[in-house]
């Protein structure tokens, strides 16, 4: 688990800091100057309609997408770039991959290796990327399966698991790299309604343990209950932000009110 201790002065470096972040795909500008901060140990929720740029922003945080303008940093380090004097230099792929190890990501679709068991899916990256011994990775992998309530499914293949179980394995797989930050991109939207709760329960547990999390979700109950901060995005900009209870309970912007009237 990441070290969440404060600096001697009592301040923390933001885990994520975005400054006027822009991202375009061809002529289409998807992010139009996103500025926000996510503090260490915070559950930060992104909500908004499809196409508002939420998932793209999430992918920029671990450099799966390169930003076109602005600055984006994780735990004080620029994402994908190094600054020398007044100029930014793009990091080599290998350097990007090294930094990406500290950021866990859980996607909408589970992306498990179908030919590997649940446990094998979890230990693959620690062994292959971090060079951990297979025995140590197995021991922690079993502990993670226990943590997400699936210890008895260690030898099952993804096809033998429900969608909710597969997503819990995907969370355990991300945690196996001992990240300092977890990104969740609509982790429950591909699940049958009765399976959503078991995944949200795992995420609640992570929040209670102090894991820094950025969550793109349409689960407004989870956002209100677990979130520390919430941003409503639309059209590639931050429309409104604040505590989840404030924004969801008393939205100030007309666009926010219109969106929430359809989802609450």
């Amino acid at each position: 688990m990441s070290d969440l201790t404060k600096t001697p002065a009592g301040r923390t470096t933001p885990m994520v800091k975005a400054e006027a972040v822009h991202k375009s795909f061809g002529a289409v500008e998807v992010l139009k100057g996103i500025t926000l901060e996510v503090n260490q140990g915070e559950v930060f929720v992104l909500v908004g309609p499809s196409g508002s740029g939420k998932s793209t922003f999430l992918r920029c945080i671990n450099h799966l997408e390169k930003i076109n303008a602005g600055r984006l940093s994780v735990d004080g380090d620029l994402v994908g770039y190094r600054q020398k004097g007044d100029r930014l230099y793009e990091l080599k792929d290998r350097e990007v991959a090294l930094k990406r190890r500290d950021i866990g990501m859980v996607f909408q679709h589970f992306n498990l290796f179908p030919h590997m068991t649940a446990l094998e899916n979890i230990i693959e990256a620690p062994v292959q990327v971090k060079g951990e011994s297979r025995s140590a990775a197995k021991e922690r992998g079993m502990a993670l399966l226990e943590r997400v309530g699936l210890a008895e499914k260690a030898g099952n293949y993804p096809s033998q698991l429900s969608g909710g179980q597969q997503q819990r394995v995907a969370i355990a797989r991300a945690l196996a790299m001992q990240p300092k930050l977890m990104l969740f991109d609509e982790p429950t939207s591909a699940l049958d309604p009765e399976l959503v709760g078991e995944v949200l329960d795992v995420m609640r547990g992570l929040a209670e343990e102090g894991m820094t999390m950025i969550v793109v979700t349409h689960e407004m109950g989870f956002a209100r209950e677990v979130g520390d901060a919430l941003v409503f995005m639309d059209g590639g900009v931050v429309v409104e932000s604040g505590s989840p209870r404030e924004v969801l309970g008393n939205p100030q912007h007309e666009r926010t009110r219109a969106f929430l009237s359809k989802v609450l």
Side-chain angles (χ1 to χ4, degrees):
M1 193 61 65
S2 56
D3 178 14
L4 302 177
T5 55
K6 293 195 173 188
T7 57
R11 294 177 292 107
T12 57
T13 300
M15 183 57 76
V16 176
K17 185 173 184 177
E19 303 168 82
V21 168
H22 290 255
K23 173 64 185 175
S24 297
F25 294 101
V28 180
E29 192 176 22
V30 179
L31 300 178
K32 302 174 182 176
I34 300 294
T35 295
L36 55 81
E37 288 188 7
V38 180
N39 295 316
Q40 292 188 20
E42 195 168 51
V43 179
F44 193 95
V45 183
L46 294 173
V47 302
S50 297
S52 58
K54 309 181 302 295
S55 294
T56 297
F57 178 67
L58 215 59
R59 291 171 66 84
C60 288
I61 292 172
N62 64 358
H63 209 57
L64 288 174
E65 301 289 354
K66 298 177 184 179
I67 66 175
N68 299 115
R71 295 167 68 90
L72 188 55
S73 59
V74 172
D75 204 16
D77 292 330
L78 286 171
V79 173
Y81 297 90
R82 177 190 297 112
Q83 182 160 358
K84 198 170 183 181
D86 294 333
R87 298 192 62 183
L88 293 181
Y89 297 88
E90 191 167 356
L91 299 178
K92 293 181 171 67
D93 288 347
R94 186 173 177 278
E95 294 173 291
V96 171
L98 278 172
K99 290 183 176 292
R100 196 179 282 143
R101 299 191 314 185
D102 291 331
I103 304 172
M105 187 156 185
V106 178
F107 298 88
Q108 180 175 346
H109 299 288
F110 326 121
N111 296 348
L112 298 177
F113 297 118
H115 62 290
M116 293 183 179
T117 64
L119 181 59
E120 287 167 346
N121 265 282
I122 291 167
I123 69 174
E124 179 72 5
V127 171
Q128 299 298 331
V129 178
K130 292 181 105 174
E132 280 188 25
S133 72
R134 190 162 286 272
S135 60
K138 265 189 173 177
E139 187 176 338
R140 199 164 74 253
M142 283 304 302
L144 286 167
L145 281 172
E146 180 84 43
R147 185 172 172 184
V148 299
L150 291 173
E152 77 285 358
K153 302 290 187 182
N156 288 46
Y157 291 90
S159 62
Q160 299 170 313
L161 301 172
S162 71
Q165 290 170 338
Q166 289 185 61
Q167 193 62 297
R168 284 188 279 159
V169 171
I171 294 172
R173 179 179 60 179
L175 292 173
M177 293 293 283
Q178 298 177 294
K180 62 176 74 170
L181 168 67
M182 285 283 284
L183 309 177
F184 292 87
D185 189 7
E186 299 193 26
T188 60
S189 62
L191 300 178
D192 292 334
E194 67 268 24
L195 301 177
V196 168
E198 62 191 49
V199 173
L200 294 181
D201 284 345
V202 171
M203 294 170 65
R204 281 189 191 92
L206 289 176
E208 289 166 6
E209 292 168 15
M211 174 62 78
T212 310
M213 299 158 61
I214 305 179
V215 184
V216 173
T217 186
H218 295 294
E219 300 292 337
M220 298 302 164
F222 174 84
R224 184 188 286 109
E225 177 194 345
V226 182
D228 297 303
L230 182 143
V231 157
F232 171 68
M233 285 177 64
D234 188 33
V237 301
V238 172
V239 175
E240 189 165 343
S241 62
S243 81
R245 289 176 187 273
E246 285 173 7
V247 176
L248 297 177
N250 186 27
Q252 300 300 301
H253 197 282
E254 187 179 329
R255 181 67 188 95
T256 316
R257 288 195 291 271
F259 172 76
L260 292 176
S261 71
K262 294 181 175 67
V263 298
L264 288 177

